[in-house]
Amino acid sequence: MSGSTFFTTMKRSFADVSVVDNKVNTTEFLEAAESLVSLFDLLGSAAFSVVQKDMTGNIKKIRDRQTANPATSGSLQDIVLSEKVEKTKAATQGLLWLTRGLQFTAVALRKNVDSDEELTESFTSAYSETLIKFHSIVVRPIFKLAMKATPYRKDFYAKLGSDLAQVKEQLLAWLAALENIVKIIQDFYASGNYGKGL
């Protein structure tokens, strides 16, 4: 393997997040989510700051819950179940919205890595498939602008690392792990209707 890449320098990859009995480790997940947020810096547009702020705010809701209640916060599922008992929903809502943002990112990058289209096409299509239905008509134009502000494909991949074969291998492993974790969380929310009204 050659030089460093975005994936070798991040704090934690989704490929390194523990999942035991379909329960996602909270601390590791939050570290991986923070690393994903920094990916938007590579897109090089201030338009993505709204996406980053949204994701960072939701990470904070989950971390605040974990800090205040460490005994019931070992896994993401533990947090949601303990909030249900307490009839609170701050972290449950934060995780739901963070997962939606992670799904958007995963769909966009999967579309891009599996094709030769430009990022603006992949991100716009992913937005239409994932987040748009949850956004008001006030928010939609802000996100649509961000999708149009993505860099050229070749420039983005070059920012991930100089060895493109290594970057693609690491991106595919990271992406598969991200997609798996998003599915686990979405299936969990659906199983208990935990996202109702959020």
Side-chain angles (χ1 to χ4, degrees), residues 85-139:
V85 168
E86 296 169 21
K87 298 193 180 339
T88 60
K89 293 188 173 190
T92 301
Q93 180 187 46
L95 178 58
L96 177 68
W97 275 97
L98 178 58
T99 302
R100 289 172 177 166
L102 297 176
Q103 180 193 27
F104 155 71
T105 308
V107 169
L109 291 174
R110 174 60 66 193
K111 284 178 173 299
N112 196 264
V113 81
D114 287 351
S115 73
D116 61 354
E117 65 189 20
E118 288 294 338
L119 272 89
T120 188
E121 296 172 64
S122 302
F123 276 78
T124 299
S125 176
Y127 180 69
S128 294
E129 290 178 28
T130 59
L131 290 177
I132 199 167
K133 62 185 166 234
F134 303 112
H135 286 164
S136 70
I137 47 180
V138 173
V139 173

Short mmCIF file of all heavy atoms in Angstrom, two decimals, residues 85-139:
data_model
loop_
_atom_site.label_atom_id
_atom_site.label_comp_id
_atom_site.label_asym_id
_atom_site.label_seq_id
_atom_site.Cartn_x
_atom_site.Cartn_y
_atom_site.Cartn_z
N VAL A 85 -38.54 4.43 27.34
CA VAL A 85 -39.00 4.19 28.71
C VAL A 85 -39.17 5.52 29.45
O VAL A 85 -40.15 5.72 30.18
CB VAL A 85 -38.00 3.28 29.47
CG1 VAL A 85 -38.29 3.26 30.97
CG2 VAL A 85 -38.02 1.88 28.90
N GLU A 86 -38.24 6.44 29.22
CA GLU A 86 -38.27 7.74 29.90
C GLU A 86 -39.18 8.75 29.22
O GLU A 86 -39.35 9.86 29.71
CB GLU A 86 -36.85 8.31 29.97
CG GLU A 86 -35.90 7.48 30.78
CD GLU A 86 -34.45 7.93 30.60
OE1 GLU A 86 -34.23 9.08 30.18
OE2 GLU A 86 -33.56 7.11 30.89
N LYS A 87 -39.72 8.37 28.08
CA LYS A 87 -40.60 9.25 27.30
C LYS A 87 -39.89 10.55 26.89
O LYS A 87 -40.46 11.63 26.93
CB LYS A 87 -41.90 9.54 28.04
CG LYS A 87 -42.72 8.28 28.30
CD LYS A 87 -44.12 8.59 28.74
CE LYS A 87 -45.01 7.41 29.03
NZ LYS A 87 -44.73 6.12 28.50
N THR A 88 -38.61 10.40 26.52
CA THR A 88 -37.85 11.50 25.93
C THR A 88 -37.43 11.05 24.54
O THR A 88 -37.44 9.85 24.24
CB THR A 88 -36.59 11.83 26.77
OG1 THR A 88 -35.76 10.67 26.83
CG2 THR A 88 -36.96 12.29 28.16
N LYS A 89 -37.07 12.01 23.69
CA LYS A 89 -36.78 11.61 22.31
C LYS A 89 -35.65 12.39 21.66
O LYS A 89 -35.45 12.27 20.46
CB LYS A 89 -38.04 11.77 21.45
CG LYS A 89 -39.14 10.81 21.80
CD LYS A 89 -40.26 10.89 20.78
CE LYS A 89 -41.27 9.81 21.06
NZ LYS A 89 -42.25 9.67 20.01
N ALA A 90 -34.88 13.16 22.39
CA ALA A 90 -33.87 14.01 21.76
C ALA A 90 -32.84 13.19 20.98
O ALA A 90 -32.58 13.45 19.80
CB ALA A 90 -33.16 14.88 22.80
N ALA A 91 -32.25 12.18 21.62
CA ALA A 91 -31.25 11.37 20.94
C ALA A 91 -31.89 10.45 19.89
O ALA A 91 -31.31 10.20 18.84
CB ALA A 91 -30.45 10.54 21.94
N THR A 92 -33.10 9.99 20.18
CA THR A 92 -33.83 9.15 19.21
C THR A 92 -34.07 9.94 17.92
O THR A 92 -33.86 9.42 16.82
CB THR A 92 -35.16 8.67 19.82
OG1 THR A 92 -34.88 7.94 21.03
CG2 THR A 92 -35.93 7.80 18.85
N GLN A 93 -34.48 11.19 18.08
CA GLN A 93 -34.69 12.06 16.91
C GLN A 93 -33.35 12.36 16.23
O GLN A 93 -33.25 12.32 15.00
CB GLN A 93 -35.37 13.36 17.32
CG GLN A 93 -35.62 14.28 16.15
CD GLN A 93 -36.15 15.63 16.59
OE1 GLN A 93 -35.63 16.24 17.53
NE2 GLN A 93 -37.19 16.09 15.92
N GLY A 94 -32.32 12.65 17.02
CA GLY A 94 -31.01 12.93 16.46
C GLY A 94 -30.48 11.76 15.64
O GLY A 94 -29.95 11.94 14.54
N LEU A 95 -30.63 10.54 16.17
CA LEU A 95 -30.17 9.36 15.46
C LEU A 95 -30.97 9.13 14.19
O LEU A 95 -30.42 8.77 13.15
CB LEU A 95 -30.24 8.12 16.37
CG LEU A 95 -29.82 6.80 15.72
CD1 LEU A 95 -28.39 6.86 15.19
CD2 LEU A 95 -29.99 5.65 16.71
N LEU A 96 -32.27 9.36 14.25
CA LEU A 96 -33.11 9.19 13.06
C LEU A 96 -32.65 10.12 11.95
O LEU A 96 -32.43 9.70 10.80
CB LEU A 96 -34.58 9.47 13.41
CG LEU A 96 -35.56 9.41 12.23
CD1 LEU A 96 -35.68 7.98 11.72
CD2 LEU A 96 -36.92 9.94 12.67
N TRP A 97 -32.46 11.39 12.27
CA TRP A 97 -32.05 12.36 11.25
C TRP A 97 -30.61 12.15 10.81
O TRP A 97 -30.29 12.31 9.62
CB TRP A 97 -32.28 13.79 11.76
CG TRP A 97 -33.70 14.19 11.49
CD1 TRP A 97 -34.74 14.13 12.35
CD2 TRP A 97 -34.22 14.64 10.24
NE1 TRP A 97 -35.89 14.54 11.73
CE2 TRP A 97 -35.61 14.86 10.42
CE3 TRP A 97 -33.67 14.89 8.98
CZ2 TRP A 97 -36.43 15.31 9.40
CZ3 TRP A 97 -34.49 15.35 7.97
CH2 TRP A 97 -35.85 15.55 8.18
N LEU A 98 -29.74 11.77 11.73
CA LEU A 98 -28.36 11.47 11.35
C LEU A 98 -28.34 10.29 10.39
O LEU A 98 -27.63 10.31 9.37
CB LEU A 98 -27.51 11.17 12.59
CG LEU A 98 -26.05 10.81 12.32
CD1 LEU A 98 -25.32 11.91 11.54
CD2 LEU A 98 -25.34 10.52 13.64
N THR A 99 -29.14 9.27 10.67
CA THR A 99 -29.20 8.09 9.81
C THR A 99 -29.71 8.47 8.42
O THR A 99 -29.22 7.96 7.41
CB THR A 99 -30.07 6.99 10.45
OG1 THR A 99 -29.52 6.66 11.73
CG2 THR A 99 -30.14 5.74 9.59
N ARG A 100 -30.65 9.38 8.36
CA ARG A 100 -31.13 9.85 7.05
C ARG A 100 -30.00 10.53 6.27
O ARG A 100 -29.85 10.33 5.07
CB ARG A 100 -32.31 10.80 7.22
CG ARG A 100 -33.58 10.11 7.69
CD ARG A 100 -34.68 11.10 8.03
NE ARG A 100 -35.90 10.41 8.41
CZ ARG A 100 -36.94 10.97 9.00
NH1 ARG A 100 -36.89 12.28 9.31
NH2 ARG A 100 -38.01 10.28 9.30
N GLY A 101 -29.21 11.32 6.97
CA GLY A 101 -28.07 11.98 6.33
C GLY A 101 -27.01 10.98 5.89
O GLY A 101 -26.41 11.11 4.81
N LEU A 102 -26.79 9.96 6.71
CA LEU A 102 -25.83 8.92 6.36
C LEU A 102 -26.32 8.12 5.16
O LEU A 102 -25.53 7.77 4.27
CB LEU A 102 -25.59 7.98 7.55
CG LEU A 102 -24.97 8.61 8.80
CD1 LEU A 102 -24.88 7.57 9.92
CD2 LEU A 102 -23.61 9.22 8.50
N GLN A 103 -27.63 7.85 5.14
CA GLN A 103 -28.20 7.12 4.00
C GLN A 103 -28.02 7.93 2.72
O GLN A 103 -27.64 7.39 1.67
CB GLN A 103 -29.67 6.81 4.23
CG GLN A 103 -30.27 6.05 3.05
CD GLN A 103 -31.78 5.99 3.07
OE1 GLN A 103 -32.44 6.86 3.64
NE2 GLN A 103 -32.33 4.97 2.46
N PHE A 104 -28.31 9.22 2.78
CA PHE A 104 -28.13 10.10 1.62
C PHE A 104 -26.69 10.01 1.11
O PHE A 104 -26.44 9.83 -0.09
CB PHE A 104 -28.49 11.54 1.99
CG PHE A 104 -27.82 12.58 1.14
CD1 PHE A 104 -28.19 12.75 -0.18
CD2 PHE A 104 -26.80 13.36 1.66
CE1 PHE A 104 -27.55 13.70 -0.98
CE2 PHE A 104 -26.17 14.30 0.88
CZ PHE A 104 -26.54 14.48 -0.45
N THR A 105 -25.73 10.12 2.02
CA THR A 105 -24.32 10.07 1.65
C THR A 105 -23.97 8.72 1.03
O THR A 105 -23.27 8.65 0.01
CB THR A 105 -23.43 10.35 2.87
OG1 THR A 105 -23.86 11.57 3.49
CG2 THR A 105 -21.98 10.47 2.48
N ALA A 106 -24.45 7.65 1.65
CA ALA A 106 -24.17 6.30 1.15
C ALA A 106 -24.76 6.10 -0.24
O ALA A 106 -24.09 5.57 -1.14
CB ALA A 106 -24.71 5.25 2.12
N VAL A 107 -25.99 6.52 -0.45
CA VAL A 107 -26.63 6.36 -1.76
C VAL A 107 -25.88 7.18 -2.81
O VAL A 107 -25.61 6.69 -3.91
CB VAL A 107 -28.13 6.75 -1.69
CG1 VAL A 107 -28.74 6.85 -3.08
CG2 VAL A 107 -28.90 5.74 -0.85
N ALA A 108 -25.51 8.41 -2.47
CA ALA A 108 -24.80 9.27 -3.42
C ALA A 108 -23.46 8.66 -3.82
O ALA A 108 -23.13 8.58 -5.02
CB ALA A 108 -24.59 10.66 -2.83
N LEU A 109 -22.71 8.21 -2.84
CA LEU A 109 -21.39 7.66 -3.14
C LEU A 109 -21.50 6.30 -3.84
O LEU A 109 -20.68 5.99 -4.71
CB LEU A 109 -20.54 7.57 -1.88
CG LEU A 109 -20.11 8.93 -1.34
CD1 LEU A 109 -19.40 8.79 -0.01
CD2 LEU A 109 -19.24 9.68 -2.35
N ARG A 110 -22.49 5.50 -3.49
CA ARG A 110 -22.69 4.21 -4.17
C ARG A 110 -23.02 4.46 -5.64
O ARG A 110 -22.48 3.81 -6.53
CB ARG A 110 -23.79 3.39 -3.49
CG ARG A 110 -24.17 2.11 -4.21
CD ARG A 110 -23.04 1.12 -4.36
NE ARG A 110 -22.60 0.61 -3.07
CZ ARG A 110 -21.46 -0.06 -2.91
NH1 ARG A 110 -20.66 -0.31 -3.93
NH2 ARG A 110 -21.10 -0.49 -1.72
N LYS A 111 -23.92 5.40 -5.90
CA LYS A 111 -24.26 5.74 -7.29
C LYS A 111 -23.02 6.18 -8.04
O LYS A 111 -22.82 5.82 -9.19
CB LYS A 111 -25.30 6.86 -7.33
CG LYS A 111 -26.71 6.43 -6.98
CD LYS A 111 -27.65 7.63 -7.01
CE LYS A 111 -29.07 7.21 -6.83
NZ LYS A 111 -29.55 6.31 -7.87
N ASN A 112 -22.18 6.94 -7.38
CA ASN A 112 -21.01 7.48 -8.06
C ASN A 112 -19.95 6.42 -8.30
O ASN A 112 -19.39 6.33 -9.40
CB ASN A 112 -20.43 8.66 -7.27
CG ASN A 112 -19.51 9.46 -8.14
OD1 ASN A 112 -18.30 9.25 -8.09
ND2 ASN A 112 -20.07 10.34 -8.96
N VAL A 113 -19.68 5.62 -7.31
CA VAL A 113 -18.62 4.62 -7.45
C VAL A 113 -19.02 3.51 -8.43
O VAL A 113 -18.16 2.91 -9.07
CB VAL A 113 -18.20 4.07 -6.06
CG1 VAL A 113 -19.14 2.99 -5.56
CG2 VAL A 113 -16.77 3.59 -6.05
N ASP A 114 -20.31 3.26 -8.57
CA ASP A 114 -20.79 2.22 -9.48
C ASP A 114 -21.04 2.73 -10.90
O ASP A 114 -21.58 2.00 -11.73
CB ASP A 114 -22.09 1.60 -8.94
CG ASP A 114 -21.85 0.71 -7.72
OD1 ASP A 114 -20.68 0.44 -7.40
OD2 ASP A 114 -22.84 0.30 -7.10
N SER A 115 -20.68 3.97 -11.17
CA SER A 115 -20.93 4.56 -12.49
C SER A 115 -19.75 5.45 -12.85
O SER A 115 -18.75 5.49 -12.14
CB SER A 115 -22.22 5.39 -12.46
OG SER A 115 -22.00 6.59 -11.73
N ASP A 116 -19.92 6.19 -13.93
CA ASP A 116 -18.89 7.18 -14.28
C ASP A 116 -19.49 8.59 -14.29
O ASP A 116 -18.93 9.50 -14.85
CB ASP A 116 -18.24 6.84 -15.63
CG ASP A 116 -19.24 6.85 -16.77
OD1 ASP A 116 -20.45 7.01 -16.52
OD2 ASP A 116 -18.80 6.69 -17.93
N GLU A 117 -20.65 8.73 -13.62
CA GLU A 117 -21.29 10.05 -13.62
C GLU A 117 -20.58 11.02 -12.68
O GLU A 117 -19.84 10.62 -11.79
CB GLU A 117 -22.78 9.92 -13.27
CG GLU A 117 -23.09 9.42 -11.88
CD GLU A 117 -24.58 9.13 -11.67
OE1 GLU A 117 -25.33 8.94 -12.65
OE2 GLU A 117 -24.99 9.07 -10.50
N GLU A 118 -20.83 12.29 -12.91
CA GLU A 118 -20.26 13.33 -12.06
C GLU A 118 -20.97 13.34 -10.71
O GLU A 118 -22.11 12.91 -10.59
CB GLU A 118 -20.37 14.70 -12.75
CG GLU A 118 -19.43 14.87 -13.92
CD GLU A 118 -17.95 14.89 -13.52
OE1 GLU A 118 -17.62 15.17 -12.36
OE2 GLU A 118 -17.12 14.60 -14.40
N LEU A 119 -20.30 13.88 -9.70
CA LEU A 119 -20.87 13.91 -8.36
C LEU A 119 -22.19 14.67 -8.29
O LEU A 119 -23.09 14.27 -7.56
CB LEU A 119 -19.88 14.52 -7.36
CG LEU A 119 -18.92 13.52 -6.76
CD1 LEU A 119 -17.67 13.37 -7.62
CD2 LEU A 119 -18.54 13.91 -5.36
N THR A 120 -22.30 15.75 -9.05
CA THR A 120 -23.54 16.53 -9.00
C THR A 120 -24.75 15.66 -9.39
O THR A 120 -25.81 15.77 -8.79
CB THR A 120 -23.45 17.81 -9.88
OG1 THR A 120 -24.60 18.59 -9.64
CG2 THR A 120 -23.33 17.50 -11.35
N GLU A 121 -24.57 14.75 -10.36
CA GLU A 121 -25.65 13.85 -10.74
C GLU A 121 -25.95 12.85 -9.63
O GLU A 121 -27.12 12.63 -9.28
CB GLU A 121 -25.27 13.08 -12.02
CG GLU A 121 -25.09 13.93 -13.25
CD GLU A 121 -24.52 13.10 -14.40
OE1 GLU A 121 -25.22 12.17 -14.86
OE2 GLU A 121 -23.37 13.38 -14.82
N SER A 122 -24.90 12.25 -9.09
CA SER A 122 -25.07 11.24 -8.04
C SER A 122 -25.72 11.83 -6.79
O SER A 122 -26.64 11.24 -6.21
CB SER A 122 -23.72 10.63 -7.66
OG SER A 122 -23.09 10.05 -8.76
N PHE A 123 -25.24 13.00 -6.37
CA PHE A 123 -25.76 13.62 -5.15
C PHE A 123 -27.19 14.14 -5.35
O PHE A 123 -28.03 14.01 -4.46
CB PHE A 123 -24.83 14.74 -4.66
CG PHE A 123 -23.69 14.24 -3.82
CD1 PHE A 123 -22.58 13.64 -4.40
CD2 PHE A 123 -23.73 14.34 -2.44
CE1 PHE A 123 -21.53 13.15 -3.62
CE2 PHE A 123 -22.69 13.85 -1.66
CZ PHE A 123 -21.59 13.25 -2.25
N THR A 124 -27.48 14.71 -6.51
CA THR A 124 -28.83 15.20 -6.79
C THR A 124 -29.82 14.04 -6.82
O THR A 124 -30.90 14.12 -6.22
CB THR A 124 -28.87 15.98 -8.12
OG1 THR A 124 -27.99 17.10 -8.00
CG2 THR A 124 -30.27 16.47 -8.45
N SER A 125 -29.45 12.97 -7.47
CA SER A 125 -30.31 11.79 -7.54
C SER A 125 -30.52 11.18 -6.15
O SER A 125 -31.64 10.83 -5.77
CB SER A 125 -29.68 10.77 -8.49
OG SER A 125 -30.42 9.59 -8.52
N ALA A 126 -29.44 11.08 -5.38
CA ALA A 126 -29.54 10.53 -4.02
C ALA A 126 -30.43 11.40 -3.13
O ALA A 126 -31.21 10.89 -2.33
CB ALA A 126 -28.15 10.40 -3.40
N TYR A 127 -30.31 12.72 -3.28
CA TYR A 127 -31.16 13.63 -2.50
C TYR A 127 -32.63 13.38 -2.82
O TYR A 127 -33.47 13.28 -1.91
CB TYR A 127 -30.78 15.09 -2.77
CG TYR A 127 -31.62 16.06 -1.98
CD1 TYR A 127 -31.48 16.16 -0.60
CD2 TYR A 127 -32.56 16.87 -2.60
CE1 TYR A 127 -32.27 17.03 0.15
CE2 TYR A 127 -33.34 17.75 -1.87
CZ TYR A 127 -33.20 17.83 -0.50
OH TYR A 127 -33.98 18.68 0.23
N SER A 128 -32.94 13.22 -4.11
CA SER A 128 -34.33 12.98 -4.52
C SER A 128 -34.85 11.64 -3.98
O SER A 128 -36.04 11.52 -3.70
CB SER A 128 -34.44 12.99 -6.04
OG SER A 128 -34.16 14.29 -6.53
N GLU A 129 -33.96 10.68 -3.82
CA GLU A 129 -34.37 9.35 -3.34
C GLU A 129 -34.43 9.25 -1.82
O GLU A 129 -35.06 8.33 -1.30
CB GLU A 129 -33.40 8.29 -3.85
CG GLU A 129 -33.48 8.05 -5.34
CD GLU A 129 -32.46 7.02 -5.81
OE1 GLU A 129 -32.08 6.13 -5.00
OE2 GLU A 129 -32.05 7.11 -6.96
N THR A 130 -33.75 10.13 -1.13
CA THR A 130 -33.64 9.95 0.32
C THR A 130 -34.21 11.10 1.14
O THR A 130 -35.24 10.97 1.78
CB THR A 130 -32.17 9.71 0.74
OG1 THR A 130 -31.37 10.82 0.33
CG2 THR A 130 -31.62 8.43 0.12
N LEU A 131 -33.58 12.25 1.12
CA LEU A 131 -33.90 13.33 2.05
C LEU A 131 -35.04 14.24 1.63
O LEU A 131 -35.71 14.81 2.48
CB LEU A 131 -32.66 14.21 2.27
CG LEU A 131 -31.52 13.59 3.07
CD1 LEU A 131 -30.35 14.55 3.14
CD2 LEU A 131 -31.98 13.19 4.46
N ILE A 132 -35.27 14.40 0.34
CA ILE A 132 -36.21 15.43 -0.13
C ILE A 132 -37.58 15.29 0.52
O ILE A 132 -38.22 16.28 0.86
CB ILE A 132 -36.30 15.46 -1.67
CG1 ILE A 132 -36.89 16.79 -2.13
CG2 ILE A 132 -37.06 14.27 -2.22
CD1 ILE A 132 -36.74 17.05 -3.63
N LYS A 133 -38.03 14.06 0.72
CA LYS A 133 -39.38 13.84 1.28
C LYS A 133 -39.50 14.31 2.74
O LYS A 133 -40.60 14.50 3.24
CB LYS A 133 -39.79 12.39 1.14
CG LYS A 133 -38.92 11.41 1.88
CD LYS A 133 -39.32 9.96 1.59
CE LYS A 133 -38.26 9.00 2.05
NZ LYS A 133 -37.82 8.11 1.01
N PHE A 134 -38.36 14.49 3.40
CA PHE A 134 -38.38 14.94 4.79
C PHE A 134 -38.15 16.44 4.94
O PHE A 134 -38.25 16.98 6.04
CB PHE A 134 -37.31 14.19 5.61
CG PHE A 134 -37.46 12.70 5.57
CD1 PHE A 134 -36.52 11.91 4.92
CD2 PHE A 134 -38.56 12.09 6.15
CE1 PHE A 134 -36.65 10.54 4.88
CE2 PHE A 134 -38.70 10.71 6.12
CZ PHE A 134 -37.75 9.94 5.47
N HIS A 135 -37.82 17.11 3.85
CA HIS A 135 -37.48 18.53 3.90
C HIS A 135 -38.64 19.40 3.43
O HIS A 135 -39.36 19.04 2.51
CB HIS A 135 -36.25 18.82 3.03
CG HIS A 135 -34.97 18.34 3.62
ND1 HIS A 135 -33.81 18.21 2.91
CD2 HIS A 135 -34.66 17.98 4.90
CE1 HIS A 135 -32.85 17.78 3.69
NE2 HIS A 135 -33.34 17.63 4.91
N SER A 136 -38.76 20.55 4.07
CA SER A 136 -39.80 21.51 3.68
C SER A 136 -39.40 22.21 2.38
O SER A 136 -38.24 22.16 1.96
CB SER A 136 -39.97 22.56 4.79
OG SER A 136 -38.82 23.40 4.82
N ILE A 137 -40.35 22.91 1.79
CA ILE A 137 -40.03 23.61 0.55
C ILE A 137 -39.09 24.78 0.80
O ILE A 137 -38.50 25.29 -0.13
CB ILE A 137 -41.30 24.08 -0.21
CG1 ILE A 137 -42.30 24.75 0.69
CG2 ILE A 137 -41.94 22.96 -0.94
CD1 ILE A 137 -43.55 25.21 -0.03
N VAL A 138 -38.89 25.16 2.04
CA VAL A 138 -37.92 26.20 2.37
C VAL A 138 -36.50 25.60 2.36
O VAL A 138 -35.55 26.23 1.90
CB VAL A 138 -38.24 26.82 3.75
CG1 VAL A 138 -37.15 27.77 4.19
CG2 VAL A 138 -39.59 27.49 3.74
N VAL A 139 -36.36 24.38 2.86
CA VAL A 139 -35.05 23.73 2.99
C VAL A 139 -34.57 23.13 1.67
O VAL A 139 -33.37 23.14 1.38
CB VAL A 139 -35.10 22.65 4.10
CG1 VAL A 139 -33.83 21.84 4.16
CG2 VAL A 139 -35.40 23.30 5.44
#
